Amino acid sequence: MKPTRLHAAWAPWVFTAPFLLLFLLFTAWPLLQSLVLAFQQTFGPRSTRFVGFDNFAFLLRDPLFWQAVRNTVIYTAGAIFVQLPVALGLALLLNRPQLRGRALFRLIFFSPSLVGLVFVGLMFHLMFQKHTGLINAGLHTLFSSWDPEFAWLDAYIMPSLIIASVWLYAGFNMIYFLAALQNVNRELMEAAEIDGAGPWARFRHVVLPEIRPVAGFVVLLSVIGSFQLFELPWVLLNNSGGPGNNGLTIVMYLFQTGFLTGDLGYASAIGWVLGLILVGAAWAQARAARKEISG
């Protein structure tokens, strides 16, 4: 083989070697180790015992795990059925050409996603406080019958989390919808308007089919992000799952089990189950997208 051909054959490996090295070191190797750990019972990092599928069998009858799954599913439902419609509504509003100051409003609605989750958790922890919290004080000012001692973080943890996440993420998801709306075929919109279609009919029969691929992608991102929820409830609920563990999520339970209790094997089993759930969600979204494209 001539030297030039030899160099051409090795060039791709030379250029991809840094990525492959980092991927093997920081992704593949930890994944393999966590898979091994999932079949072990650990008492700290140095004491381990092989237990086979016992961690997964215990997980199936662990009430705390299922409570974490229930809380995470409720939060995910809130993200899909509350947060995304709000984001779509903002995008529809800011896509109107006659609206003045659209760029400023886009920046205002997007800006919450620029601050950190810890900051948002601390801020809403203060805002949801009884009597002195901004939300209770504001609602009591607007509606005199509102109880200023309303216990947001004691009795209504999931609604509180959903409200905080709407403030944080609605503007971020609005950007996706806004980009999709700006690519809607104008000729179809004008044809529908000439045919006498009203705003709702144009949205349902023209806009919605055009933005459906992006909407499906945003739903998938919201599902994945919701199932990985950790920092926001962890800070909002003072490093706990809240009263009765009503704010405990899957990742919070994984963290408590692995790093507070010290059972890294059981935490790895939880992590692998969570990973399979997310792979299943991605597979379902990809299959739905292929089905839509094929007609």
Side-chain angles (χ1 to χ4, degrees):
M1 183 178 291
K2 293 181 179 180
T4 52
R5 290 187 178 179
L6 183 65
H7 292 162
W10 279 98
W13 293 104
V14 171
F15 284 114
T16 57
F19 165 76
L20 290 175
L21 183 63
L22 292 174
F23 176 79
L24 290 173
L25 191 61
F26 294 108
T27 303
W29 178 248
L31 274 177
L32 182 62
Q33 285 293 306
S34 72
L35 183 60
V36 173
L37 270 174
F39 294 95
Q40 294 177 338
Q41 186 177 23
T42 63
F43 306 95
R46 294 184 178 177
S47 178
T48 61
R49 181 169 64 92
F50 181 76
V51 294
F53 286 92
D54 285 1
N55 283 331
F56 294 96
F58 180 73
L59 187 143
L60 292 175
R61 59 178 187 276
D62 182 0
L64 263 182
F65 173 74
W66 289 110
Q67 185 174 7
V69 171
R70 183 181 66 87
N71 293 338
T72 306
V73 169
I74 291 173
Y75 176 83
T76 304
I80 294 173
F81 297 111
V82 179
Q83 185 192 123
L84 295 188
V86 170
L88 178 58
L90 289 175
L92 288 168
L93 179 67
L94 297 183
N95 195 44
R96 297 168 67 89
Q98 61 270 30
L99 181 67
R100 291 184 177 181
R102 287 191 300 166
L104 178 62
F105 284 119
R106 288 172 186 173
L107 176 63
I108 291 172
F109 288 127
F110 180 74
S111 58
S113 61
L114 299 176
V115 298
L117 281 168
V118 174
F119 175 79
V120 175
L122 289 171
M123 185 177 72
F124 273 90
H125 179 76
L126 296 174
M127 290 173 66
F128 281 127
Q129 290 299 309
K130 300 176 185 175
H131 196 67
T132 57
L134 180 63
I135 293 178
N136 273 341
L139 288 171
H140 182 66
T141 303
L142 292 174
F143 311 100
S144 58
S145 60
W146 184 268
D147 182 9
E149 296 292 328
F150 192 82
W152 286 99
L153 298 179
D154 294 330
Y156 300 94
I157 294 176
M158 294 314 295
S160 303
L161 275 173
I162 292 170
I163 290 172
S165 69
V166 167
W167 182 85
L168 181 61
Y169 292 118
F172 181 80
N173 290 320
M174 173 197 75
I175 297 300
Y176 287 103
F177 287 122
L178 201 52
L181 288 172
Q182 289 176 351
N183 285 303
V184 172
N185 192 321
R186 298 297 169 194
E187 292 179 357
L188 285 177
M189 291 289 287
E190 290 170 3
E193 195 169 355
I194 291 171
D195 288 342
W200 171 246
R202 292 199 298 274
F203 174 77
R204 182 182 175 187
H205 298 292
V206 179
V207 175
L208 202 55
E210 291 276 307
I211 68 170
R212 189 170 293 161
V214 173
F217 177 70
V218 175
V219 168
L220 176 64
L221 285 184
S222 296
V223 170
I224 292 174
S226 299
F227 269 84
Q228 294 178 329
L229 182 69
F230 173 71
E231 296 96 333
L232 184 59
W234 187 253
V235 175
L236 192 64
L237 302 172
N238 273 332
N239 304 339
S240 71
N245 283 313
N246 289 327
L248 185 71
T249 65
I250 297 176
V251 179
M252 286 172 69
Y253 188 46
L254 185 156
F255 178 82
Q256 289 179 343
T257 305
F259 298 99
L260 299 183
T261 307
D263 192 350
L264 293 173
Y266 189 50
S268 295
I270 296 172
W272 273 96
V273 170
L274 175 61
L276 291 175
I277 292 172
L278 296 181
V279 169
W283 174 80
Q285 194 275 339
R287 185 176 180 183
R290 280 199 301 269
K291 189 176 180 181
E292 186 175 336
I293 292 171
S294 63

